[in-house]
Amino acid sequence: MTKRIPFIAGNWKMNLDHQQGIALVQKLDWTLKDAAHNYADAEVAVFPGFTSLRSIQTLIDADGLEIKLGAQDISAYDSGAYTGEVSGQALKKLAIDYVLIGHSERRQYHNETDEVVQAKVAAAFRHNLVPVICVGETLEELEAEGAAAVPVRQTLAALAGHDALGEFVIAYEPVWAIGTGQIATPEQAASVAKKIRDAIATEFSEDVANKTRILYGGSVKAANVAGFLRSPEVDGVLVGGASLDAVEFSGIARFQKHLDL
Ligand code: PEP
């Protein structure tokens, strides 16, 4: 069975300018170095806003940091008259590895449908960027259909119709748990992650399912991360608010230290 390296991803959302972003990444790097963090045990990535990407890429490059870089969105188009959009090609040129697609805030405030998400995943694959595809149910959907139905449906819609699947990550983020302090139970996160993985195996192959990392996201903190990552079904976390604090985020990245507690 493929070994899946845990993935700790920090979504800064619309916070921090590029100077604050540089300071945060420097502090995160020192904190992790002080704690002798081994990146082979847990990969760490930050997802700053677009205007910070170039500065942070320069820092990562110049100082040889092992922290990875992701963008919060990608255009479905490669170039042309799409004012305000950022292409996969431009992101790839900044040595970006990952791109968030279909975050619930984009689905909710920018009307991103499953079709838009699918087109953005296609753009990420075209430019060799790894999409981190966000899926999750609202409270109403949870009550009407249970926890797994919407995330599984959104996952399959995002992955449908591609000539070939590149590497991708799924982030299961119940909408009712994002930024609310209300968290899913570790059992719920593991159960939904398993159903997503089973659906990927059925639709594509066991091999694709085995190598796909499935994250949990929604009010994750250093104090609750271990509960989620104790399950072999959950391969990491997507963190919003707590990723803006270098010490807290490094505590999350070092979740293995508190697995036995
Ligand atoms: C997110 O924005 O993806 C998220 C999980 O936010 P928070 O950790 O703040 O709930």
Side-chain angles (χ1 to χ4, degrees), residues 3 5-6 15 39 52 82-83 97 116 150 167 188 191 202 209 220 232 235 241:
K3 180 171 162 28
I5 297 181
N15 294 295
Y39 286 83
S52 300
Y82 301 102
T83 303
D97 298 294
V116 172
V150 169
E167 184 188 346
Q188 180 188 333
S191 149
T202 307
V220 171
D235 306 304

Side-chain angles (χ1 to χ4, degrees), residues 11 13 103 105 134 173 177-181 217-220 238-242:
N11 172 17
K13 312 194 189 198
H103 191 281
E105 287 151 16
C134 303
E173 300 204 298
I178 296 179
T180 57
S219 298
V220 171
L238 178 55
V239 184

Side-chain angles (χ1 to χ4, degrees), residues 46-141:
V46 293
F47 291 73
F50 285 125
T51 57
S52 300
L53 288 173
R54 173 65 172 145
S55 315
I56 294 174
Q57 179 245 333
T58 305
L59 168 69
I60 289 176
D61 206 28
D63 291 1
L65 307 190
E66 291 181 78
I67 294 168
K68 301 271 181 66
L69 191 54
Q72 294 178 19
D73 191 21
I74 180 174
S75 176
Y77 306 101
D78 289 343
S79 65
Y82 301 102
T83 303
E85 302 239 327
V86 178
S87 72
Q89 190 198 0
L91 294 174
K92 192 69 196 175
K93 199 85 177 177
L94 290 178
I96 280 165
D97 298 294
Y98 296 99
V99 60
L100 288 182
I101 298 180
H103 191 281
S104 65
E105 287 151 16
R106 295 211 58 86
R107 291 182 192 257
Q108 196 180 341
Y109 307 134
H110 300 272
N111 301 319
E112 287 198 2
T113 59
D114 283 343
E115 289 69 36
V116 172
V117 170
Q118 193 270 358
K120 290 186 171 189
V121 171
F125 286 156
R126 280 198 300 280
H127 295 284
N128 285 319
L129 294 156
V130 177
V132 178
I133 304 164
C134 303
V135 298
E137 79 289 358
T138 62
L139 202 50
E140 296 71 47
E141 288 164 340

